[in-house]
Amino acid sequence: MVTDPLNRPVLSYAHHQFIILDEDIDAATAVKLMHGKKAETIIVTNKVNDYVGIITDSDILDKIVMRGEDSDQVAIKTIMTSPLITISAKANVRMALELMRLNLIKRIPVTDNVHILGVVTQEGLANAIRTSVLERQFRPYRVVIRERYKPIWGNLGFILQFAGLLFIAPAVMATFFGEVVTATGIFLGITTMSVTGFVLNAYGEKTPMNLRQASILMVSSFVMLSLFGSIPYMYVNPFGENIDPITLFVNSFFESASGFTTTGLSMLVYPEDLPKSFDFYRSFTQWIGGLSFVYLVITFFYPERKLAHMRGMLGGGTLKLKQLILTIAVIFSIYTVTLAILLYISGNHDIIFNISLILSAVTGGGFVPSSTSLISENFLELFVLMTGMVISALPFAFHYAVFSKEMHTTKMRPEIFTYFGIILVSIPIFWYLLSLSDPASNVMTSVFHTLSAATTTGFQFMDITLLSDQGKFFLIILMLIGGTAFSTAGGIKVGRILLLIQKLTNKKFSADVTTRSISSVSSRYDHAYHGWEQKSAQHKDDKTLNEAVLVIILFILTSIFTGIMLSFFSGQNFLNSMFESVSALTTTGLSTGITSLDADLGSKILLIVNMIIGRFEIIAVIYLFLEISKIRKL
């Protein structure tokens, strides 16, 4: 409970800027001693050391200076205010102010009935009361900042510092190749990222967070990473000369966000003209954003139970920390090296481009390091890339289970089988739709672009603008469905659709729920902690279903709304605009040509927003504005 400032002890506001002098000392000496001690008040004593009066600057000014008296000849007892009014150290501020008012004075010595302990002034007490009132008014805001936002600042700061360390790799590569401009740009990004992380660490606290705080942290992490990741783009400026600063910033932020969210939409038509290290940097941002490095950083601070909701947002799934580290750091590295070697065998002999291309493939990114590398005639190369795309769309837990005896794929099989079934059915359908606009199209073109859409990777070598309306709409559906739960793929996810079908048909596909939402994973741990497992099972399933329905509805409504907005900004027809919006929202990267250097800033900003909210399947953004209790009531 906050104490009323008027009821606080008066001694707490007393100062010690006073001196005690004998009454017979002359005024000149008293003033010299007063200024030497930097005192504001003189307490006067008599021969037996009793306190008999008080002298202030105003007494000296009024009774000596203004009268023209000789200060050497005037004893201080003749100018002091007497008798001396004091107040007990046990009194409060209210009593001191009342005593001053009754005696028409502005300061009172505080005593313990023997000694003078200090002096309080009317001005000092008034300032203290004002400060106390302001503190009382702003205390709730400070509490909010300390309890709600300091944990976010502290963890965000550490994430930025950790990311700064990771980006040393492309910076060193640029330095090794002698690409000075690229190296300088990346080092600038690392420096600003690290300094900001240090400042946030200094003012924040790395403490456990609730679901809403975790949502804010995850979204703000990707926004900040995209912001600092845009610095190399602005420094290198691959967008052409004579570009204004605002457009340069928006273009750079767009490309950076596209990388960290693993979307892959790009305004760079000929990326093969960029320095090799810069191409690697672009793909490296997808590796950081797509493989849950943000989650891994946070896991070093919190127990598994506290991290269930974060793992849901970033794709950790049911894997524990050690398992997820092995999957990301070891298994996906093996995938990258193996597929890069196969690309080399297929005829691409540029190792850096190969690694960059595979980084984009296995993270579901789709950045093309070389726009001339994807051609339908090179079947081996396309097969390698399609393998990478499929890897990106399968659950992290599946990859771990394949290489480990600790886990089985049984519970994941219904979703994975359904996913592959959708792909197998979609290939002939899309081939037929493709033939409507291009009768000479081959099966490989259909297979590649069906996989590209279904895995939300976004690689393309065909001109989407030439595709029939039916073909575009079919790809929109594939992108919206997306990959499997807890993978690098975007979209609604097959698991949620299976869950809805399971509820509508009352058919159980597995002993376990086929997909775990953010709240349901968190709920499972919370109920287990309180010993409510049996009672809450049905309640948990209902909440999981409710959230799955909510995500499906939000994806569809957001796609339509942003499609309309993009059509307004770009002047393109609604189908092309919705295709582009869905591509950004599902972090796919396929494009009808709206994403270009000539696009207006409104279109670019809208696509940036779609990429970021799509990275968290929209639902995490909802948690930024609504309390978890409200979400559970939906």
Side-chain angles (χ1 to χ4, degrees):
M1 182 176 179
V2 180
T3 305
D4 188 328
L6 292 175
N7 293 327
R8 292 176 181 174
V10 69
L11 185 60
S12 61
Y13 297 108
H15 67 75
H16 299 86
Q17 294 171 297
F18 68 92
I19 58 175
I20 301 174
L21 298 177
D22 185 83
E23 62 184 357
D24 292 326
I25 292 178
D26 63 84
T29 302
V31 169
K32 187 181 297 184
L33 292 171
M34 185 180 182
H35 287 286
K37 297 288 186 178
K38 296 182 179 179
E40 297 179 354
T41 307
I42 299 173
I43 305 296
V44 183
T45 61
N46 59 18
K47 299 298 182 180
V48 294
N49 290 326
D50 291 331
Y51 301 115
V52 294
I54 185 170
I55 297 174
T56 65
D57 286 332
S58 61
D59 291 321
I60 297 170
L61 181 65
D62 294 339
K63 299 176 183 179
I64 296 179
V65 178
M66 297 302 294
R67 294 178 182 179
E69 299 285 345
D70 187 353
S71 59
D72 292 332
Q73 303 299 320
V74 178
I76 60 173
K77 65 182 177 182
T78 62
I79 63 171
M80 69 181 180
T81 300
S82 183
L84 180 64
I85 300 173
T86 62
I87 190 169
S88 170
K90 297 179 181 180
N92 58 29
V93 173
R94 188 190 306 275
M95 296 166 64
L97 290 173
E98 182 66 15
L99 192 59
M100 290 180 190
R101 185 184 67 81
L102 292 174
N103 291 277
L104 301 177
I105 57 178
K106 295 183 178 180
R107 67 188 66 206
I108 301 179
V110 181
T111 177
D112 61 358
N113 296 323
V114 178
H115 303 98
I116 300 295
L117 303 179
V119 177
V120 291
T121 64
Q122 190 179 64
E123 181 183 6
L125 293 179
N127 290 334
I129 291 172
R130 282 195 294 268
T131 302
S132 180
V133 171
L134 289 174
E135 287 180 351
R136 187 164 53 186
Q137 291 293 327
F138 287 101
R139 183 174 285 105
Y141 300 101
R142 293 207 309 271
V143 171
V144 167
I145 290 174
R146 183 177 66 251
E147 295 183 357
R148 297 188 182 181
Y149 297 108
K150 277 197 172 183
I152 299 172
W153 295 346
N155 289 290
L156 179 59
F158 188 79
I159 287 172
L160 292 178
Q161 288 178 310
F162 188 81
L165 291 175
L166 292 176
F167 280 109
I168 291 177
V172 170
M173 177 182 290
T175 304
F176 177 79
F177 284 118
E179 296 169 345
V180 179
V181 176
T182 301
T184 304
I186 298 175
F187 275 120
L188 281 175
I190 292 173
T191 302
T192 53
M193 195 181 298
S194 301
V195 170
T196 304
F198 176 81
V199 173
L200 290 173
N201 256 333
Y203 288 96
E205 300 172 353
K206 291 190 288 291
T207 54
M209 297 172 291
N210 57 34
L211 181 56
R212 189 167 183 266
Q213 289 172 324
S215 301
I216 295 174
L217 174 65
M218 295 299 101
V219 175
S220 59
S221 295
F222 277 80
V223 172
M224 295 296 287
L225 287 173
S226 299
L227 177 63
F228 292 116
S230 66
I231 292 176
Y233 285 94
M234 288 187 281
Y235 193 83
V236 174
N237 186 16
F239 309 108
E241 300 178 357
N242 302 321
I243 185 172
D244 64 272
I246 295 178
T247 303
L248 175 61
F249 170 75
V250 173
N251 288 355
S252 300
F253 192 87
F254 183 99
E255 294 287 333
S256 181
S258 184
F260 281 107
T261 60
T262 70
T263 303
L265 283 172
S266 178
M267 293 173 280
L268 302 177
V269 181
Y270 298 107
E272 69 269 23
D273 294 337
L274 297 173
K276 291 182 181 179
S277 59
F278 194 75
D279 269 329
F280 178 79
Y281 167 77
R282 296 172 73 223
S283 297
F284 196 74
T285 59
Q286 295 178 322
W287 183 267
I288 299 299
L291 296 183
S292 304
F293 277 100
V294 172
Y295 169 76
L296 285 181
V297 174
I298 301 300
T299 54
F300 287 104
F301 293 102
Y302 307 129
E304 289 289 325
R305 187 178 61 84
K306 292 288 186 179
L307 291 165
H309 42 269
M310 292 189 206
R311 185 163 59 237
M313 278 183 275
L314 287 173
T318 58
L319 292 180
K320 296 181 180 179
L321 172 60
K322 181 180 178 181
Q323 296 169 335
L324 188 57
I325 291 177
L326 287 173
T327 303
I328 293 174
V330 179
I331 296 176
F332 270 77
S333 295
I334 293 174
Y335 287 152
T336 301
V337 172
T338 304
L339 294 177
I341 293 173
L342 291 176
L343 267 187
Y344 184 88
I345 296 174
S346 73
N348 285 341
H349 294 159
D350 193 317
I351 299 298
I352 303 301
F353 277 139
N354 286 351
I355 294 176
S356 300
L357 200 58
I358 296 304
L359 286 178
S360 292
V362 298
T363 58
F367 269 150
V368 182
S370 175
S371 60
T372 58
S373 67
L374 296 181
I375 53 176
S376 60
E377 287 77 12
N378 193 335
F379 294 109
L380 180 57
E381 178 190 35
L382 296 184
F383 177 79
V384 172
L385 291 180
M386 286 189 292
T387 302
M389 289 191 286
V390 171
I391 287 174
S392 73
L394 297 178
F396 284 127
F398 174 81
H399 297 295
Y400 181 80
V402 169
F403 289 89
S404 172
K405 296 180 180 179
E406 298 178 27
M407 184 179 294
H408 301 286
T409 62
T410 306
K411 295 179 180 180
M412 295 172 275
R413 288 174 188 173
E415 184 179 8
I416 293 174
F417 289 161
T418 303
Y419 177 62
F420 280 116
I422 292 173
I423 292 176
L424 291 176
V425 172
S426 299
I427 289 173
I429 296 175
F430 184 66
W431 188 17
Y432 168 75
L433 296 175
L434 184 61
S435 66
L436 296 179
S437 55
D438 183 13
S441 61
N442 55 41
V443 178
M444 181 57 74
T445 302
S446 173
V447 173
F448 186 87
H449 288 87
T450 298
L451 278 175
S452 184
T455 59
T456 69
T457 305
F459 283 123
Q460 69 180 81
F461 55 79
M462 64 174 289
D463 189 349
I464 301 293
T465 59
L466 301 178
L467 193 62
S468 65
D469 289 348
Q470 297 93 323
K472 294 175 185 176
F473 187 73
F474 186 73
L475 290 181
I476 287 175
I477 294 175
L478 287 180
M479 290 189 291
L480 281 174
I481 293 173
T484 60
F486 306 124
S487 66
T488 66
I492 294 171
K493 302 294 179 66
V494 174
R496 286 195 177 98
I497 297 174
L498 261 183
L499 187 64
L500 183 60
I501 295 174
Q502 172 181 306
K503 184 66 176 180
L504 294 175
T505 60
N506 292 320
K507 182 179 180 182
K508 195 74 172 178
F509 294 105
S510 171
D512 190 23
V513 180
T514 53
T515 185
R516 292 178 176 83
S517 61
I518 303 169
S519 63
S520 65
V521 175
S522 180
S523 173
R524 176 167 65 88
Y525 280 87
D526 290 339
H527 287 313
Y529 181 75
H530 291 93
W532 299 342
E533 298 94 333
Q534 187 174 4
K535 181 179 178 181
S536 64
Q538 183 60 45
H539 182 53
K540 180 186 67 176
D541 290 347
D542 290 341
K543 285 188 296 184
T544 304
L545 176 65
N546 291 341
E547 189 178 274
V549 173
L550 177 61
V551 170
I552 293 172
I553 293 173
L554 286 175
F555 259 99
I556 295 173
L557 292 181
T558 305
S559 300
I560 296 173
F561 176 74
T562 55
I564 295 172
M565 293 295 294
L566 188 60
S567 179
F568 172 78
F569 285 130
S570 65
Q572 296 284 335
N573 64 56
F574 172 71
L575 184 60
N576 285 344
S577 300
M578 184 171 175
F579 186 100
E580 205 84 5
S581 288
V582 170
S583 182
L585 187 64
T586 58
T587 66
T588 303
L590 293 174
S591 177
T592 57
I594 294 178
T595 299
S596 67
L597 291 174
D598 297 328
D600 63 285
L601 294 181
S603 297
K604 295 173 184 176
I605 293 173
L606 181 64
L607 291 174
I608 289 173
V609 172
N610 269 17
M611 288 188 288
I612 292 175
I613 65 175
R615 176 64 180 85
F616 303 99
E617 301 169 21
I618 303 178
I619 194 66
V621 182
I622 300 298
Y623 288 130
L624 300 183
F625 307 102
L626 298 178
E627 296 293 339
I628 181 62
S629 59
K630 295 180 181 179
I631 291 291
R632 288 175 174 174
K633 292 178 181 179
L634 292 175

